[in-house]
């Protein structure tokens, strides 16, 4: 069973606590790490920045545990990419290692503060990523994104789902179902961005982008899981689609056995 991590360990009655809730990890995410990020090679810095933006977005929705794991993955990614740079760009490798070290150092007190809230974090992250992907998929397959603005929002949601799946790799290789959903989210993001770019160039309303084959839905989780961030962005259309899907999953099929007596 996955426990919903509390939004804050401080009392919600004070104004200081309200500020803390909005800042969360970002309050402990120091300027030294930000400065080290600026010193990274361009390609690596751009990759890290996408994850950093995703972490900040989830933090704003109160998902501090999710934000913590994303930032931890940023450190892992920096170390991995730094090793690839070692042969032809020693300075880039050194910059990546410095960034990872400062980020881990600043996240250490966060880990201590979160404590047992991180228990079962790997399963929580995977289920969070799956539901982010499936909520975007409902909007996609329902044909709800028909303008530049709505397709841009959908592309952002799918990209965030892709980044969450990538973050889950710190717990080990993704299984086949998660890999397929990750591939779907990444491919669909690219397709949508191409459609939007073409529409802007032509000054026209974008036609619905080609729909990639969607992976099969995963089995429902075996325990209560919070999807506060997902529900915060849920529109009435999303709600109707979600309830229909849940009703379909819960529908029981009755099999009749006919006995012919001669």
């Amino acid at each position: 069973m996955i426990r919903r991590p509390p939004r804050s360990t401080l009392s919600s009655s004070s104004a200081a606590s309200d500020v803390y809730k909005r800042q969360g990890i970002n309050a402990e995410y120091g300027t030294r790490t930000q400065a080290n990020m600026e010193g990274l090679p361009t390609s690596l810095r751009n990759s890290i920045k996408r994850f950093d933006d995703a972490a900040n977005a989830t933090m704003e929705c109160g998902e501090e545990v999710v934000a913590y794991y994303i930032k931890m993955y940023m450190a892992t990614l920096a170390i991995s990419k730094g090793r690839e740079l070692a042969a032809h760009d020693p300075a880039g490798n050194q910059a990546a290692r410095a960034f990872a070290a400062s980020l881990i150092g600043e996240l250490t007190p966060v880990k201590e503060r979160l404590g047992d809230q991180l228990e079962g974090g790997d399963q929580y992250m995977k289920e969070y990523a799956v539901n982010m992907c499936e909520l975007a998929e409902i909007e996609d397959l329902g044909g709800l994104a028909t303008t530049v603005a709505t397709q841009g929002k959908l592309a952002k949601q799918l990209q965030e789902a892709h980044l969450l799946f990538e973050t889950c790799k710190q717990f080990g290789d993704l299984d086949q179902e998660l890999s397929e959903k990750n591939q779907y989210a990444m491919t669909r993001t690219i397709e949508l961005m191409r459609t939007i770019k073409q529409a802007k160039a032509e000054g026209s309303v974008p036609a619905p982008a080609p729909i990639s084959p969607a992976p099969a839905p995963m089995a429902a989780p075996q325990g209560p899981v919070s999807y506060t961030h997902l529900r915060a962005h849920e529109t009435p259309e999303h709600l109707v689609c979600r309830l229909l899907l849940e009703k379909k999953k819960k529908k029981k099929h009755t099999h009749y056995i006919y006995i012919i007596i001669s």
Side-chain angles (χ1 to χ4, degrees):
M1 183 177 76
I2 307 302
R3 258 186 326 105
R4 197 266 184 239
R7 287 172 175 265
S8 173
T9 55
L10 302 182
S11 171
S12 59
S13 60
S14 66
S17 176
D18 293 337
V19 173
Y20 181 84
K21 285 182 180 180
R22 292 194 297 271
Q23 292 178 338
I25 289 178
N26 296 331
E28 300 167 65
Y29 188 48
T31 55
R32 184 162 62 94
T33 298
Q34 290 285 7
N36 285 338
M37 184 188 297
E38 294 303 318
L40 294 172
T42 303
S43 59
L44 178 55
R45 182 173 66 250
N46 291 339
S47 296
I48 293 291
K49 186 66 168 59
R50 283 193 289 270
F51 284 96
D52 193 42
D53 290 342
N56 294 337
T58 55
M59 190 63 244
E60 289 174 1
C61 296
E63 294 290 353
E64 188 172 9
V65 169
V66 176
Y68 167 81
Y69 280 119
I70 294 176
K71 288 185 180 290
M72 282 300 296
Y73 182 73
M74 288 163 55
T76 302
L77 180 64
I79 293 173
S80 174
K81 295 297 183 182
R83 288 172 181 166
E84 296 176 7
L85 295 171
H88 62 278
D89 186 5
N93 178 37
Q94 205 61 27
R97 291 171 63 87
F99 168 78
S102 62
L103 180 55
I104 291 173
E106 289 170 1
L107 288 176
T108 297
V110 177
K111 180 179 180 180
E112 295 175 353
R113 176 170 56 77
L114 291 176
D116 61 2
Q117 295 179 43
L118 298 176
E119 183 180 351
D122 56 340
Q123 188 66 19
Y124 183 82
M125 286 292 295
K126 291 172 183 176
E127 292 174 354
Y128 190 90
V130 166
N131 281 269
M132 171 69 75
C133 182
E134 291 186 350
L135 184 58
E137 185 183 332
I138 289 172
E139 182 172 346
D140 191 12
L141 300 181
L144 303 178
T146 57
T147 66
V148 170
T150 55
Q151 287 195 354
K153 180 181 177 181
L154 177 59
K156 184 176 180 180
Q157 291 173 338
L158 286 165
Q159 183 184 50
E160 186 172 347
H162 164 61
L163 295 175
L164 286 168
F165 283 123
E166 290 294 306
T167 297
C168 290
K169 291 181 179 180
Q170 67 186 293
F171 307 116
D173 295 336
L174 300 180
D175 61 31
Q176 183 177 350
E177 287 182 304
L178 293 180
S179 295
E180 289 176 356
K181 287 185 176 294
N182 186 21
Q183 183 65 36
Y184 167 75
M186 180 180 65
T187 302
R188 197 72 184 101
T189 299
I190 295 172
E191 290 175 351
L192 284 165
M193 295 307 296
R194 285 175 178 170
T195 300
I196 294 170
K197 183 178 180 180
Q198 182 179 355
K200 287 183 176 180
E202 297 174 354
S204 60
V205 176
I211 296 178
S212 301
M218 293 185 66
Q222 298 302 311
V225 181
S226 166
Y227 307 118
T228 305
H229 174 62
L230 305 180
R231 296 295 178 261
H233 298 280
E234 191 172 50
T235 64
E237 292 85 354
H238 291 156
L239 177 60
V240 172
C241 292
R242 178 168 62 81
L243 293 176
L244 287 173
L245 286 175
E246 290 177 355
K247 182 178 180 181
K248 183 177 179 182
K249 290 179 181 179
K250 293 178 181 179
K251 183 178 180 182
K252 296 183 179 179
H253 299 277
T254 304
H255 299 275
Y256 296 92
I257 300 176
Y258 294 91
I259 302 176
I260 302 176
I261 303 176
S262 57

